[in-house]
Amino acid sequence: MPAATNPERDRLDEADARRQAWRKWGPYVSERQWGTVREDYSATGDAWNYFPHDHARSRAYRWGEDGIGGFCDAKQHLCLAVALWNGKDPILKERMFGLSNREGNHGEDVKELYYYLDAVPTYSYARMLYKYPQAAFPYDLLVQENARRDRKQPEFEIIDTGIFDDDRYFDVDIEYAKAGTDDILLRLTITNRGPDEAPIHVLPQAWFRNTWSWFTDRPKPALERDGADVVVRHETFGAYAIHFDGPDEIRFCENETNVAKLFGGEATGHSYKDGFHEYLVEGRKDAASTHGGTKVAGIYRRTVAAGASTTIQVRLSLGPPKSAPFAHFERIFSLRKSEADAFYAGLQSKVLDGDLRRIQRQAFAGILWSKQYFYCDVTEWLDGDPAEPRPPGTRQKGRNSAWVHATMEDVISMPDKWEFPWFAAWDWAFHLTTLAYLDLEDAKHQLILLGQSWYMHPNGQLPAYEWNFGDVNPPVQAWAAIRLYEAERKSKGQGDRRFLQQVFTKLLLNFTWWVNRKDPRGLNVFEGGFLGMDNIGVFDRSAALPVDGMQVQSDGTSWMAMYCLNMLRIAIELAQEDDAYQDIATKFFEHFLMIGGAMTNLGGKGLSLWDDVDNFFYDWLVMSNGDATPLRVRSLVGLIPALAVDTIDAALLRPLPSFTRQRDWYLRYRPKLATLVSRVNTPGADDTRLLAIARAFRSTKVLARVLDRNEFLSDYGIRSLSRYHLDNPYVFEAGDFRSEVKYVPGDSDSDLFGGNSNWRGPIWMPINYLFIESVNKFARFYGEEFRMECPAGSPELLSLRKIADELRNRLINIFRRDKDGRRPVFGNCEKMQTDPHFKDYILFHEYYDGDTGRGLGASHQTGWSALVANMIAELHE
């Protein structure tokens, strides 16, 4: 993480020191607010149908806003975004279209083409690209064809409709630059890629988030015409001016619900949220006013020649209107773009390959564009608002009703601002390890945030995700804390101990919650439900078992073993300067040993999660009558134990006499338990010590399976399910219940867990990333002399460090051009592979085909797949 000095670094320093609010404005507007839990006031919790896409243009949101290329302040008082109309669409294009969970044959899915191309952490420069068809947008075709297809057919995407085949579309380049902390420049460059001239209406918009309709006493802000400009009137936000450069006209409407249109009743003659749609598309001249409202648009009617471009400029600045707002517009953009280049030149100084630099920079852009304003007050949401009808009483005992303390209003990293426009606890941790390369202070702030009292439950549970705060995600926050701490130590020579202490204190509460709530029999064998890996196993792990028994989860217990080691590592680090942490380190060392022992002797009955016949870790099904059956599915569940490993420098242990005495007591009086999972007295390479659930024999057996092309090893990383199960499906039968687990490299072919993700073959970036890190930890202990066949069965022997690099390269190859100039992520889509206006715009998906590397699931899951940026950096450091 180079500490290069340049203007963007200087701005970050000013923001960190609170001298300048450079992070105040950013692309914090969601790409989908409709269909979210926050906007759902139904009795049944059917969020998709309560607030569908068709309502979004006419119905005010309660908790946030959405838009195309949106920009707003950190409290989302005021938003900027772009709207478009080609003269043929049935609706004004103000937001991204996609299918709800049940409309898609593989679950919810955005049906648009857009790309995050650039950004710096202060958003002093940011760029994204949206591709807008010149023909009528194929809304009905996308819905109907996806409804016709079943699980065994691929998703029908917008590019499959043929609407882009003859290049009759516009590239809408959306760029932002900051002249100052409260001086925002927006430049839209509209390029006609088609063979003929084509008309387009472009509407850069500004509007207030609706904070007044829900209450009887809240003041209403205003946007008012002031000559050629627009002034912003708001009680607390401040006075801003909006400048449109040469619009054909400026129109206003209100960001309020068109009740008569949606729900019936008498129209009031008032203008509503859909005013610009009705004004342009429906030709209602009274739908938008010329004087003021809470939403404003500059309307630009353009006809663009074939291959030509038109540029539109907008400026939002604090204070009164400027006399010449566009005089230095181009100079500011040019300067900010050059500063962004300088920022990344320092960050990528060791990455010499131009294609890799492009991939990494777009991955970084995605992680920055995927920050979002997230507002959720659960008590207000459950009780309803004074000026609105009271919500159904069933809500008081429904979704998230146990989380009445939760009052969240922050700008935070999202997995995907259309598909997952809400945080998920374990996704969040991965996002922050990538964000740390760009904006370490914000990454630290966000990790601390998750443990604050308005997020964490009073009982110590971390909220999982908006659809069910009470569900359980893998506990990876301690791992993320170590990553951020070590990143800072590497870049500055010293880690932030106060940050580490803050996170550690909160995670002590969370660890205790796990022990009290997820180890029901007190045997150090942990449950956790689906643990983020939706349909990976025989059963739906979020539902009650269909048989009379309990499932002992290899991954649930192993995640806790990893949690123990991460907490031990933090305690050892803090104990270097504070002896009080030595006893806490001992506590986690002891707990790690107990979990390791429990995994080899489940419930004291001699059952082990490790199978000596298959040399692999499996879940067990323990029936109420005592019968126990291993569930012999070779999946990532069996690889998670390998993540519970750490290599500790002996030098860190020497200043800890109390911890050393208690550790040695275990080695002397509990030798069998201690030697199961530790080699703390056996020096490794560079005088390191090893703690691992899977020690030498077991770890090499697991790694041998991972490196086997017929099992887990793909040309593009580690599969989530062994390819062995293609010809050998695992079948479980009990009474009338039957379940089959078969290798499926692409989209899910079953309805289990909604069918909107698949853990039965594809490649998932975060687990790959953690496994590679574990291989590196083993490499530190065993050194360069320890070698294995890679791939298995080949004559080539590689060190563990080289194996980790090989796995990184395979994952990077998903996005990198191959010898034929094709990117596996694009699959067989010829246009994306060869068209000069597509082939270098990277999409970072939710997961990837286990055989071909083709991108699947959410197409902008930059929160997960941005980890490829980390891997590129690690290969070149």
Side-chain angles (χ1 to χ4, degrees), residues 229-537:
D229 305 307
V230 175
V231 293
V232 176
R233 312 283 190 204
H234 191 283
E235 188 175 54
T236 59
F237 182 54
Y240 285 76
I242 302 171
H243 307 273
F244 296 100
D245 185 16
D248 292 293
E249 56 183 316
I250 295 174
R251 289 278 173 167
F252 298 82
C253 62
E254 300 293 345
N255 185 17
E256 295 182 6
T257 300
N258 191 336
V259 176
K261 186 172 187 177
L262 292 178
F263 306 111
E266 190 128 346
T268 63
H270 189 51
S271 68
Y272 301 102
K273 181 180 177 181
D274 55 10
F276 303 145
H277 161 82
E278 293 198 339
Y279 178 70
L280 285 177
V281 181
E282 298 184 8
R284 277 197 52 220
K285 299 307 178 186
D286 61 341
S289 75
T290 57
H291 54 277
T294 48
K295 185 177 179 182
V296 64
I299 300 177
Y300 297 79
R301 296 176 175 88
R302 297 287 185 264
T303 298
V304 187
S309 300
T310 186
T311 300
I312 292 165
Q313 301 179 143
V314 181
R315 189 167 192 168
L316 167 71
S317 56
L318 184 64
K322 295 180 180 295
S323 58
F326 302 105
H328 304 292
F329 213 81
E330 289 301 319
R331 183 183 64 78
I332 294 169
F333 262 100
S334 178
L335 178 62
R336 293 295 182 256
K337 178 64 169 65
S338 67
E339 291 170 351
D341 291 341
F343 175 78
Y344 281 105
L347 201 63
Q348 298 181 309
S349 61
K350 296 181 181 179
V351 183
L352 303 181
D353 182 279
D355 196 37
L356 285 185
R357 287 200 301 273
R358 179 185 296 108
I359 293 165
Q360 188 185 47
R361 188 159 172 175
Q362 288 184 33
F364 283 144
I367 207 76
L368 290 171
W369 270 93
S370 294
K371 282 200 219 173
Q372 179 187 315
Y373 170 79
F374 182 84
Y375 180 29
C376 181
D377 184 322
V378 172
T379 296
E380 279 193 15
W381 178 76
L382 289 170
D383 292 345
D385 298 317
E388 295 292 304
R390 191 167 183 80
T394 53
R395 289 165 55 82
Q396 293 296 328
K397 294 184 179 179
R399 174 182 287 137
N400 296 333
S401 56
W403 292 76
V404 292
H405 70 286
T407 310
M408 306 155 176
E409 188 181 12
D410 300 284
V411 171
I412 55 179
S413 293
M414 297 289 147
D416 175 326
K417 289 202 297 187
W418 193 95
E419 189 120 8
F420 306 106
W422 28 260
F423 73 86
W426 79 310
D427 302 57
W428 204 349
F430 292 112
H431 310 170
L432 299 183
T433 66
T434 304
L435 181 62
Y437 279 88
L438 306 162
D439 191 349
L440 181 59
E441 288 304 314
D442 188 50
K444 287 157 52 180
H445 162 74
Q446 290 191 49
L447 192 58
I448 291 170
L449 192 64
L450 186 59
Q452 297 295 347
S453 59
W454 52 95
Y455 281 81
M456 178 185 276
H457 198 281
N459 65 17
Q461 184 179 9
L462 294 176
Y465 50 94
E466 188 186 27
W467 284 88
N468 185 0
F469 286 148
D471 215 331
V472 183
N473 281 172
V476 292
Q477 289 72 33
W479 166 81
I482 295 168
R483 293 276 311 186
L484 301 191
Y485 179 80
E486 291 182 345
E488 185 159 18
R489 180 159 58 188
K490 183 175 181 180
S491 65
K492 298 181 180 179
Q494 182 176 340
D496 185 343
R497 291 179 57 81
R498 186 171 181 275
F499 155 75
L500 205 58
Q501 287 172 326
Q502 280 182 282
V503 174
F504 187 69
T505 301
K506 296 295 186 179
L507 292 181
L508 283 173
L509 301 175
N510 179 245
F511 187 91
T512 303
W513 175 85
W514 271 89
V515 171
N516 290 337
R517 297 296 182 93
K518 292 299 175 180
D519 179 16
R521 297 174 298 164
L523 299 174
N524 292 297
V525 177
F526 292 86
E527 303 172 5
F530 84 116
L531 284 172
M533 290 193 230
D534 305 358
N535 61 355
I536 198 165

Side-chain angles (χ1 to χ4, degrees), residues 15 36 57 269 271 394 522 588 704 761 805:
T36 60
R57 67 180 174 277
S271 68
T394 53
F588 284 109
D805 285 349

Side-chain angles (χ1 to χ4, degrees), residues 790-830:
C790 182
S794 74
E796 188 162 12
L797 297 175
L798 297 182
S799 69
L800 293 177
R801 183 177 60 83
K802 290 287 188 182
I803 288 171
D805 285 349
E806 172 65 18
L807 291 173
R808 285 191 184 98
N809 269 309
R810 287 175 182 245
L811 289 155
I812 293 168
N813 284 344
I814 291 171
F815 310 99
R816 181 163 38 193
R817 290 199 197 103
D818 64 16
K819 58 182 174 53
D820 299 316
R822 300 175 73 85
R823 301 185 192 275
V825 64
F826 294 149
N828 294 323
C829 181
E830 203 60 29

Side-chain angles (χ1 to χ4, degrees), residues 7-9 11-12 22-23 25-28 71 115-129 172-181 183-189 329-344 361-362 364-366 368-369 438:
E8 177 61 16
R9 291 281 177 192
R11 284 190 286 268
L12 282 172
W22 284 107
R23 296 188 187 92
W25 291 87
Y28 308 143
F71 220 72
Y115 307 87
Y116 306 128
L117 297 181
D118 209 358
V120 290
T122 66
Y123 304 103
S124 296
Y125 181 75
R127 178 188 173 209
M128 72 167 283
L129 177 69
V172 182
D173 213 330
I174 304 168
E175 294 176 284
Y176 290 95
K178 292 183 181 179
T181 56
D183 194 351
I184 314 302
L185 282 58
L186 167 62
R187 180 170 67 186
L188 304 173
T189 305
F329 213 81
E330 289 301 319
R331 183 183 64 78
I332 294 169
F333 262 100
S334 178
L335 178 62
R336 293 295 182 256
K337 178 64 169 65
S338 67
E339 291 170 351
D341 291 341
F343 175 78
Y344 281 105
R361 188 159 172 175
Q362 288 184 33
F364 283 144
L368 290 171
W369 270 93
L438 306 162

